[in-house]
């Protein structure tokens, strides 16, 4: 899922069920012909290790080439802090103390926020895909 924002308001949403490695280059190529990006934002995790890695490398490369900032946001902000699928059986769950654990529970749905206002972005765009061992 990818969103285009203008003046912090959602302008366009792109959804695909293809693997990110298959679709992201095509999406970016099409968007680069339509828009001039001022900044890039990506969900740095938790989530699919490979999806986060490919997104980070692709968007960080584009940010360097275009000389624009790449910001990060927690994936939990894009699904109302619901569980995030980790694999077929487990989901990442954030508790009241902001600790993330793996639990056997159904994951929530992601969405593109209508506005970027009041979201918690970080200049530290390092991918978040390393979790402590879970007993």
């Amino acid at each position: 899922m990818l969103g285009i924002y203008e003046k912090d308001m959602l302008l366009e949403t792109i959804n695909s069920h293809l693997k990110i490695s298959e679709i992201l280059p095509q999406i970016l190529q099409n968007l680069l012909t339509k828009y001039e990006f001022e900044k890039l934002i990506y969900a740095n995790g938790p989530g699919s290790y490979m999806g986060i890695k490919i997104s980070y490398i692709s968007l960080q490369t584009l940010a360097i080439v275009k000389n624009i900032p790449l910001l990060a946001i927690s994936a939990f902000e894009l699904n109302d802090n619901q569980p995030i699928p980790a694999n077929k059986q487990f989901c990442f769950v954030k508790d009241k103390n902001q600790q993330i654990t793996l639990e056997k529970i159904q994951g929530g749905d992601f969405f593109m926020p209508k506005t970027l206002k009041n979201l918690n972005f970080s200049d530290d765009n390092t991918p978040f895909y390393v979790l402590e061992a879970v007993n």
Side-chain angles (χ1 to χ4, degrees):
M1 184 179 299
L2 189 141
I4 301 296
Y5 291 81
E6 185 174 35
K7 297 180 182 175
D8 289 341
M9 299 301 294
L10 184 62
L11 187 66
E12 180 180 349
T13 301
I14 300 167
N15 291 300
S16 177
H17 294 291
L18 296 174
K19 292 182 179 182
I20 193 146
S21 59
E22 297 171 354
I23 196 67
L24 187 59
Q26 293 174 353
I27 291 172
L28 290 177
Q29 185 175 5
N30 291 339
L31 291 176
L32 285 167
T33 64
K34 290 174 62 175
Y35 301 104
E36 187 68 33
F37 299 129
E38 295 177 7
K39 64 183 169 190
L40 301 169
I41 304 165
Y42 87 113
N44 67 336
S48 162
Y49 176 83
M50 191 57 67
I52 294 168
K53 191 174 197 174
I54 290 170
S55 297
Y56 173 72
I57 291 169
S58 299
L59 296 174
Q60 181 69 1
T61 301
L62 184 58
I64 291 168
V65 169
K66 293 287 191 178
N67 195 29
I68 56 177
L70 173 61
L71 304 176
I73 189 168
S74 168
F76 286 110
E77 289 210 44
L78 304 176
N79 78 348
D80 285 331
N81 289 302
Q82 297 299 306
I84 296 172
N87 58 35
K88 292 179 182 177
Q89 297 179 5
F90 292 95
C91 286
F92 298 106
V93 177
K94 184 167 66 168
D95 67 20
K96 294 175 187 173
N97 298 321
Q98 306 297 310
Q99 297 296 314
I100 298 172
T101 58
L102 285 172
E103 295 182 21
K104 284 189 176 182
I105 192 169
Q106 185 174 353
D109 293 325
F110 286 96
F111 61 88
M112 295 306 304
K114 293 187 186 306
T115 179
L116 296 177
K117 294 177 182 173
N118 302 319
L119 296 176
N120 297 304
F121 299 108
S122 175
D123 291 328
D124 178 4
N125 60 28
T126 306
F128 178 61
Y129 43 57
V130 179
L131 294 174
E132 295 179 18
V134 177
N135 293 329

